[in-house]
């Protein structure tokens, strides 16, 4: 806010005082506006409370949390995923959404199959339709072991 | 027909074909299609001398059938005499000899029997396909179409009326007349034609109704491979005749609903009154998704037929219908609030879980309603309402928080306004000062 | 220059500011252009700042893009504000550029010696349009995919270089991860660079054209013109804040999960007039696919619009009328598309 030298030289004392007060106020407000703009920018850039979802997938748990014939439901991108330790110990992951009407399926260790509670859809442990109304097998998602960690990766 | 002349002719033609195709291609073809070169001779050779004359016939009726046969499932299996009879590889008079079974346009019973001569013979048909059934002919004669033919009804259909004749295709071929997407049109050619159905008491609007029903939409628009076409409930050749009729078929897919219904007070009452279980409420060909269309919105819809106002059971029925409807409305409200949040870019993973829970409970509520029991329905409805209500509460608080933070931004506006005012004052002062002495 | 002491100033920054402040700006139209230009520069700066902030969280992959934008809006403090301001400032920039150009046509301000400024101005407007179009594609919604398909198909229709252009845009035969990375590169790299360059050229041109001597028809850049510019900037911020608080920029679902078809997808408002032309045209014109004809016509039309002052040095009324009619057609087409 540089002042105009020509106008300052001819101005009376009182006017000069008022004007410098105005200058001060203007400078202060401009500084305030600038500072106000800095706050959101800094807060925006500071680490968020919850980190974003990784690009790779979701950790379903430790390998030893999955004994043979056990299962667990985890969430990937807001979608339920059923991780099953099939007889023999292999881990497989399926979208837990029944292909019929989208209910969440569950693993039955006793019958070694995946069952839908809504309309009696039955799937084999490899996702195939065994019985009931589901029109197609469960969508399988890749499972990756990272050390002792079980990762379900986006299909 | 297994004479050596036929065999020789067949071999000759096969050799010519091999030469024409080129040896390499033909070998590959033969490996891929072992059926084309069966170990034993066919009932009638696939290549007959009929083509020599019919190919040069000017009359399309004598010429076209051959062309159409070429692209059909039978192209490599049977020749003309397989269905028309006669002696295919002999001169015209013998070839068309009625004594040898020649029929230019076989009637329905002849057709059924001639198709059956191969298709009802398990040992014969297994040479071509492992999985083809061989009971169609027997089933056909056990069901309405076949019985009408047996009784001499001239307008009753034979095999060809549904499957086509020369251009016959496998039902799994999408262009087949009995493919899932076309079978309703094929049935409709007779059943939707009032003139054709004139002598019967059958309605003619089934095809139209089914097309717009939940099943028709599932088959035709969503390509659902399990939803029933006409044959799904009525059977193709009569296989469901003793399976409880079409209604027995509902139960084979909708098992849980059927089980709930059997436990309901309606089961015995319907039996006593002679009502059919599913159809009495849902209709048959025109079944719709069981929302308001079934009539639970406000006025109780279909329930009102028996439980209208003034009846002693009115309050009970209204309670069940009202519970179900309340649950569905709260689910719909929760869904639309979550969708509105998502449109504004807000992401609340917990909301999806709650909505999920409510949607699943709704599917179970749809089953539970069939028990027609106020306590069961109330519990199932509560299982929908509770997560839906939680979702709505969370959605609303998210929305409020978002709105509050948006309004917080406006606190900057007065400061900016002050800046504008001061800058305007300064500008005036500068320009006045300059205007004065300068 | 006027003040010899400036040259010997030991503080170079102050010296530069002093020299800039001492520039004389014409009153009237000239002053209005200075204020409008300052709003454009201010909005470009807002876009650059908020754009850098948004880039801190954006992940350019088909699987993550939409979720990362949602993360900004929901989980990052002031994320909704930054995204909304970035969105509305982009549209404000288009409006400011359009208004400046329209007014330049009305006042025939493109005449010598300002033909070069006009070319730069059209360049800024065009680049701003591309910025907004590419930015709208970054959340990878169903609309992004369809726009990527349509625009690359249109680019493929440009004579001779079409197929090459299409390949360069998509990085493959269909929109995917590579296309998204390219869109980001163009939106956050190439275009801002070109935009800064064009704005700088305009500023240099304006500085070069200002009268050297103070007179009755001029006012000094600082403080008179600068104060007006800051008032305009503050007013712009108020408008941006009001829009951001009351109008949330929509964010459709990721194309990955969206099941909706192309129906119900509308082009962005500033591209709507082109869409209208494509829709109204018959399938083939003079034996060539009409998309090809229209794309070529649009390229030639934009070129002519940008370059006509170089030919029409006198600034004839007839030419002004032609340009006005063209502008009116574009505005009319846009309004029609918005109403339909």
């Amino acid at each position: 806010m540089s002042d105009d030298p020509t106008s300052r030289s001819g101005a009376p004392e009182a006017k000069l005082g008022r004007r410098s007060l105005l200058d001060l106020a203007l400078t202060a407000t401009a500084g305030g506006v600038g500072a106000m703009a800095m706050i959101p920018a800094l807060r925006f850039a500071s680490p968020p409370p919850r980190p974003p979802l990784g690009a790779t997938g979701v950790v379903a748990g430790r390998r030893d949390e999955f004994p043979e014939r056990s299962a667990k439901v985890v969430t990937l991108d807001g979608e339920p995923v059923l991780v099953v330790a099939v007889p023999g110990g292999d881990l497989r992951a399926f979208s837990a959404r029944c292909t019929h009407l989208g209910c969440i399926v569950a693993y039955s260790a006793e019958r070694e199959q995946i069952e839908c509670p809504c309309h009696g859809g039955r799937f084999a442990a490899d996702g195939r339709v065994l019985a009931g109304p589901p029109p197609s097998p469960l969508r399988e998602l890749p499972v990756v072991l990272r050390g002792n960690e079980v990762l379900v990766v986006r299909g | 027909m297994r004479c050596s002349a036929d065999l020789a002719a067949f071999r000759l033609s096969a050799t010519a074909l091999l030469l024409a195709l080129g040896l390499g291609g033909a070998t590959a073809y033969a490996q891929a299609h072992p059926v084309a070169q069966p170990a034993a001779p066919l009932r009638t050779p696939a290549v007959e001398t009929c083509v020599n004359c019919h190919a040069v016939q000017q009359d399309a009726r004598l010429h076209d059938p051959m062309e159409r046969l070429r692209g059909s499932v039978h192209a490599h299996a049977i020749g003309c005499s397989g269905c028309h009879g006669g002696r295919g590889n002999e001169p015209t008079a013998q070839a068309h000899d009625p004594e040898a079974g020649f029929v230019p346009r076989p009637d329905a019973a002849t057709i059924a029997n001639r198709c059956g001569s191969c298709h009802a013979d398990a040992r014969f048909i297994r040479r071509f396909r492992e999985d083809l059934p061989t009971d169609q002919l027997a089933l056909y004669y056990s069901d309405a179409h076949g019985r009408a033919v047996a009784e001499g009804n001239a307008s009753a259909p034979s095999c060809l009326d549904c499957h086509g004749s020369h251009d016959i295709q496998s039902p799994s071929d999408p262009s087949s007349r009995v493919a899932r997407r076309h079978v309703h049109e094929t049935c409709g050619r007779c059943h939707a034609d009032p003139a054709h159905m004139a002598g019967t008491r059958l309605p003619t609007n089934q095809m139209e109704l089914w097309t717009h029903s939940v099943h028709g939409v599932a088959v035709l628009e969503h390509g659902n491979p399990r939803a029933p076409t006409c044959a799904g409930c009525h059977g193709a050749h009569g296989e469901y005749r003793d399976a409880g009729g079409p209604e027995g078929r509902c139960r084979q897919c909708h098992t849980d609903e059927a089980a709930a219904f059997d436990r309901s007070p309606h089961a015995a009452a319907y039996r006593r009154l002679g009502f059919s279980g599913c159809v009495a409420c849902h209709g048959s060909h025109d079944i719709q998704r069981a929302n308001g269309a079934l009539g639970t919105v406000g006025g109780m819809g279909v329930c009102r037929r028996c439980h209208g106002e003034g009846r002693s059971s009115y309050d009970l029925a209204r309670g069940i219908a009202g519970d179900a409807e309340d649950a569905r409305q709260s689910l719909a409200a929760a869904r639309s609030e979550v969708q509105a949040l998502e449109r504004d870019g807000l992401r609340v993973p917990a909301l999806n879980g709650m909505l999920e829970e409510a949607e699943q409970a709704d599917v179970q509520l749809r089953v539970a309603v069939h028990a027609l029991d106020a306590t069961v329905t109330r519990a199932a409805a509560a299982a929908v309402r509770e997560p839906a209500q939680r979702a709505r509460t969370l959605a609303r608080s998210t929305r409020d928080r978002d709105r509050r933070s948006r309004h917080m931004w406006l606190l900057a506006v007065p400061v900016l306004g002050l800046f504008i005012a001061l800058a305007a004052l300064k500008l005036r002062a500068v320009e006045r000062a300059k205007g004065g002495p300068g | 220059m006027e003040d010899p002491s400036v040259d010997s100033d030991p503080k170079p920054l102050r010296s530069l500011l002093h020299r800039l402040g001492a520039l004389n700006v014409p009153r009237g139209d000239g002053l209005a252009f200075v204020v409008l230009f300052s709003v454009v520069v201010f909005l470009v700066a807002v876009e650059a700042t908020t754009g850098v902030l948004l880039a801190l969280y954006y992940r350019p992959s088909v699987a993550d893009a939409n979720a990362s934008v949602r993360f900004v809006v929901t989980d990052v403090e002031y994320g909704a504000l930054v995204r909304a301001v970035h969105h509305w400032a982009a549209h404000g920039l288009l409006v400011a550029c359009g208004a400046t150009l329209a007014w330049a046509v009305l006042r025939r301000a493109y005449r010598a010696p300002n033909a070069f400024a006009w070319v730069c101005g059209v360049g800024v407007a065009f680049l701003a349009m591309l910025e907004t179009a590419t930015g709208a594609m970054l959340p990878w919604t169903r609309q992004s995919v369809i726009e990527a398909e349509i625009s690359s198909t249109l680019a493929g229709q440009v004579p001779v270089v079409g197929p090459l252009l299409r390949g360069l845009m998509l990085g493959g035969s269909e929109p995917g991860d590579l296309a998204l990375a390219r869109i980001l590169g163009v939106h956050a790299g190439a275009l801002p660079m070109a935009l800064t360059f064009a704005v700088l050229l305009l500023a240099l041109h304006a500085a070069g054209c200002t009268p050297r001597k103070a007179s009755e028809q001029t006012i000094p850049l600082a403080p008179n013109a600068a104060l007006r510019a800051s008032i305009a900037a503050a007013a712009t911020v108020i408008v941006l804040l009001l829009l951001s608080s009351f109008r949330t920029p929509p964010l459709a679902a990721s194309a990955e999960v969206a099941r909706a078809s192309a129906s119900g997808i509308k082009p962005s408002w500033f591209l709507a007039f082109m869409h209208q032309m494509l829709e109204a045209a018959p399938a083939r014109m003079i034996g060539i696919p009409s998309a090809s004809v229209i794309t070529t016509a649009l390229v030639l039309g934009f070129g002519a619009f940008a370059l006509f002052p170089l030919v029409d040095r006198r600034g004839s009324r007839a030419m002004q009328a032609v340009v006005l009619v063209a502008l009116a057609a574009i505005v009319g087409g846009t309004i029609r598309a918005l109403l339909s």
Side-chain angles (χ1 to χ4, degrees), chain C residues 101-136:
Chain C
L101 288 180
W103 205 42
V105 173
L106 277 176
R107 312 295 298 185
R108 286 193 293 159
Y110 48 78
R111 281 176 297 178
N114 290 326
F116 179 70
W118 168 265
V119 176
C120 287
V122 173
V124 169
F126 183 65
L127 290 169
M129 211 153 94
L130 285 180
E131 276 287 37
T132 315
T134 49

Side-chain angles (χ1 to χ4, degrees), chain A residues 4 9 22 26 45 70 76 130 134:
Chain A
D4 190 337
S9 58
L22 181 60
L26 191 57
S70 70
L76 177 61
L130 292 177

Side-chain angles (χ1 to χ4, degrees), chain C residues 157-288:
Chain C
Q157 302 279 355
V158 174
V160 191
V161 290
L164 177 71
L165 217 59
R166 186 181 142 82
L168 286 178
M169 279 168 80
L170 291 183
S173 54
E174 55 188 47
D177 276 337
L178 283 178
L180 192 51
R182 274 159 205 239
I183 293 167
L184 178 66
V186 167
H187 179 78
L191 288 176
M193 208 158 72
L195 199 56
T196 311
F197 188 63
V199 167
L200 209 62
L201 276 182
L202 253 178
L204 284 176
H205 173 85
C209 285
T210 52
R212 296 293 157 89
K213 291 232 168 71
S215 72
E216 282 296 309
Q217 275 76 48
T218 65
I219 54 168
L221 183 61
N224 304 45
L227 276 172
R228 283 189 171 83
S230 2
I231 291 173
T236 310
V237 175
I238 292 180
V239 172
L240 287 179
L241 281 176
L242 287 173
L243 277 171
S244 303
S245 315
F246 294 112
R247 284 262 179 276
T248 312
L251 179 57
S254 171
E256 288 290 274
V257 293
R259 293 195 188 116
S261 62
S263 64
I265 302 267
K266 275 183 157 186
S268 308
W269 61 269
F270 54 91
L271 298 174
F273 74 95
M274 291 193 235
H275 191 252
Q276 291 256 316
M277 282 171 76
L278 286 169
E279 255 186 2
R284 293 177 81 78
M285 291 161 110
I286 48 170
I288 306 168

Side-chain angles (χ1 to χ4, degrees), chain B residues 43 111-126 132-141 159:
Chain B
R43 297 207 162 182
I111 290 167
N113 292 336
R114 288 202 175 166
C115 295
S117 74
C118 295
H119 280 275
D121 181 346
R123 282 172 59 192
F124 177 76
I125 219 77
R126 287 289 178 276
L132 277 186
T134 49
D135 57 353
Q136 300 101 318
L137 185 68
L139 288 169
Y140 170 72
Y141 277 121
C159 314

Side-chain angles (χ1 to χ4, degrees), chain B residues 268-308:
Chain B
Y270 276 28
R271 262 198 306 279
R272 204 172 57 242
L273 294 166
F275 285 2
S276 50
C278 314
V279 175
C281 299
H282 291 277
S284 51
H285 297 102
D286 55 343
I287 290 177
Q288 296 298 328
R289 192 169 161 75
N291 282 335
L294 192 60
T296 51
V297 177
M300 289 165 57
V302 78
C303 311
R304 187 182 284 279
R305 284 190 210 152
C306 299
H307 306 286

